[in-house]
Amino acid sequence: MSKGTRDTLFLQGMILACAGILTKIIGFIYRIPMANFLGDQGNGIYSVAFGIYNIALTLSSYSLPLAVSKLVSHRTAKNEHRNARRVFRDSLLFAVLVGAAACAALYLGADALEELYHRPGLARPLRVLAPTTFVVAVLGVFRGFFQGHGNMVPTALSQIAEQIVNAVVSVIATYQFMVIYASSADVYSYGAAGGTLGTLAGAAAALLLFFWMFWLMRGTLRRRAARDHSRRERDSAIAGELVLTVIPIILSQTIYQIGYTIDDFLFGNIMAEKGFSDAVISSLQGVFNTQYNQLINLPVAVATAMAASTLPAIIRAGVQGGAGEVSRKIDSVIKFNMVIAFP
C-alpha cells in the first residue's frame, strides 16, 4: 500500500470514527437531562422500545449503507458510473419497499409487542419510531452511495446533524410531554414517546441534508455518466446482487442486535412471573439500558466507522486483482481497531 493510499484510507476512517465518537458524546450528554425527566421507569419503556426498533432496522435497512457502498464502489472502480447510478436507483426502490413494510409492521404490531414484552405503555413510543424505520432505510441508501464513491464526509456530517437534532428535540419533547401529561397514568409512556420523537426528527434532518448534497453533486454525476460507455446492467441482476449482499449483513447484525431485545423480553416476563410490579421492572431496565449499555457501545462505533470507510478501498483493490493489497488494508484496519478496543 502506497503512503498516499494509506493516508487517504485512514483519513476517511478517522473522519467517520471522529464523527461516531462525537455523536456518542452528544448522546451521553443529552441522555442525562432526558433520563432525569423520564425517571427510571420512563427510561425502561424508552429502552425496550429502542431495542425492538433496532431489530426492525436490522431486518429492514441497517445493512443498506454497507451493501450499497460495496455495489457502488465495485462499479466506480471499473468506471461504470451509469451502472452505479442504477444501483442507487434500484437500492432506493428496495429501501422504500422494505422501509414501508417495517414501518407498517411496527405501527400495527405495537399493541401486540406491548403485551408480549409485558411493558404497559410500550405501544406509544413504538408508533413514533415506526416511520423512523422508513426514513432510515432511505437515508442508508444515500449514505452508501456517497461512501461507495470514497467520500465519508457527507456521512459524517449527516451523523452529527442527526444527533444534534435528535438531542434537542428529544430533550424538549420529553420535558413537554411529561409536563402536559403529568396527571395521566401513562405519563411515562408519553415521555418515552417524546424521546423517540427526537430520533425521527434527527433522521429526517439527516435525510434532508443528503437531498441537498446529492443535488449539489448532480452535475458531476452527469459528466461522469456522459463519459461512460460501459454495458448497461439489467435491473434484475442488480436487485439479485443487492439481496445477496444484504442477507449476510442482516444475519450477522441480527445476532448482535437481538441479544438486547431478548434480554428485555426475558427480564420483563421473568420478573413479572416473580410478582414484581411493572414500575419496578421498567425502573431496573432503565438503569441497565440507559447507564450501562451507553458506555460499552463507544468502541463499537469506532470499529464500525473504520469498517465502513475501508470497504470501498477493499472493493477497488479486489476489482483490480490486488489480493495482497486487500489483505494489507484489512490488517491495517484490524490493528487500528485493536488500539481502540483493548484499552
Side-chain angles (χ1 to χ4, degrees):
M1 185 191 304
S2 68
K3 185 179 185 300
T5 302
R6 186 184 297 111
D7 290 345
T8 301
L9 171 65
F10 281 100
L11 175 61
Q12 295 292 332
M14 286 305 299
I15 288 172
L16 271 190
C18 290
I21 292 172
L22 182 57
T23 56
K24 285 295 180 183
I25 292 173
I26 296 172
F28 287 143
I29 294 172
Y30 91 81
R31 287 297 293 273
I32 294 172
M34 183 178 145
N36 289 331
F37 293 148
L38 282 174
D40 290 337
Q41 187 173 344
N43 283 317
I45 297 172
Y46 174 86
S47 62
V48 173
F50 240 86
I52 297 170
Y53 162 73
N54 281 332
I55 293 298
L57 279 189
T58 301
L59 294 174
S60 62
S61 58
Y62 193 87
S63 56
L64 284 174
L66 279 177
V68 175
S69 175
K70 176 182 180 295
L71 269 59
V72 169
S73 60
H74 184 271
R75 284 150 183 82
T76 56
K78 298 188 293 183
N79 292 317
E80 296 180 2
H81 297 288
R82 288 189 299 176
N83 286 330
R85 287 289 298 273
R86 291 188 185 97
V87 168
F88 174 72
R89 183 195 61 197
D90 293 346
S91 299
L92 208 53
L93 176 60
F94 178 84
V96 168
L97 293 175
V98 298
C103 174
L106 205 55
Y107 188 89
L108 298 175
D111 290 325
L113 288 166
E114 179 178 306
E115 199 67 33
L116 180 66
Y117 277 77
H118 206 279
R119 187 66 60 253
L122 182 63
R124 284 189 186 87
L126 284 178
R127 288 199 174 99
V128 176
L129 286 169
T132 313
T133 58
F134 177 83
V135 175
V136 172
V138 177
L139 178 61
V141 175
F142 278 92
R143 282 177 171 160
F145 181 72
F146 278 92
Q147 289 172 17
H149 283 85
N151 187 359
M152 307 300 154
V153 174
T155 295
L157 291 176
S158 71
Q159 287 177 343
I160 295 170
E162 178 180 3
Q163 190 71 319
I164 291 173
V165 174
N166 182 8
V168 173
V169 175
S170 292
V171 173
I172 294 175
T174 298
Y175 175 76
Q176 291 296 330
F177 280 29
M178 293 292 287
V179 170
I180 294 171
Y181 297 100
S183 59
S184 171
D186 297 323
V187 59
Y188 295 109
S189 174
Y190 283 109
T196 55
L197 186 62
T199 306
L200 175 58
L207 184 57
L208 289 174
L209 181 61
F210 265 112
F211 283 158
W212 176 69
M213 287 187 288
F214 188 81
W215 183 80
L216 292 178
M217 191 181 177
R218 72 194 189 286
T220 301
L221 295 175
R222 286 200 198 101
R223 287 192 294 272
R224 289 174 179 173
R227 296 194 298 266
D228 178 13
H229 302 290
S230 60
R231 182 178 60 85
R232 183 184 185 278
E233 287 188 81
R234 290 180 293 115
D235 290 329
S236 58
I238 293 174
E241 188 177 355
L242 178 64
V243 171
L244 290 176
T245 306
V246 161
I247 288 175
I249 302 174
I250 289 176
L251 292 176
S252 61
Q253 287 298 322
T254 299
I255 292 172
Y256 172 73
Q257 293 289 345
I258 203 170
Y260 294 105
T261 194
I262 288 177
D263 285 346
D264 291 335
F265 171 75
L266 292 176
F267 183 81
N269 282 276
I270 291 173
M271 293 291 279
E273 287 292 325
K274 291 183 174 294
F276 288 88
S277 68
D278 293 328
V280 171
I281 298 170
S282 292
S283 296
L284 292 173
Q285 283 183 313
V287 171
F288 176 74
N289 289 322
T290 303
Q291 300 176 24
Y292 169 73
N293 282 336
Q294 286 293 309
L295 181 62
I296 65 172
N297 285 331
L298 181 59
V300 177
V302 177
T304 303
M306 289 302 298
S309 64
T310 309
L311 184 61
I314 291 175
I315 295 299
R316 290 190 184 93
V319 169
Q320 295 165 3
E325 187 73 0
V326 170
S327 297
R328 283 189 290 273
K329 282 180 169 62
I330 294 173
D331 289 343
S332 297
V333 173
I334 290 174
K335 290 175 182 176
F336 181 85
N337 280 334
M338 290 302 99
V339 171
I340 302 295
F342 276 121

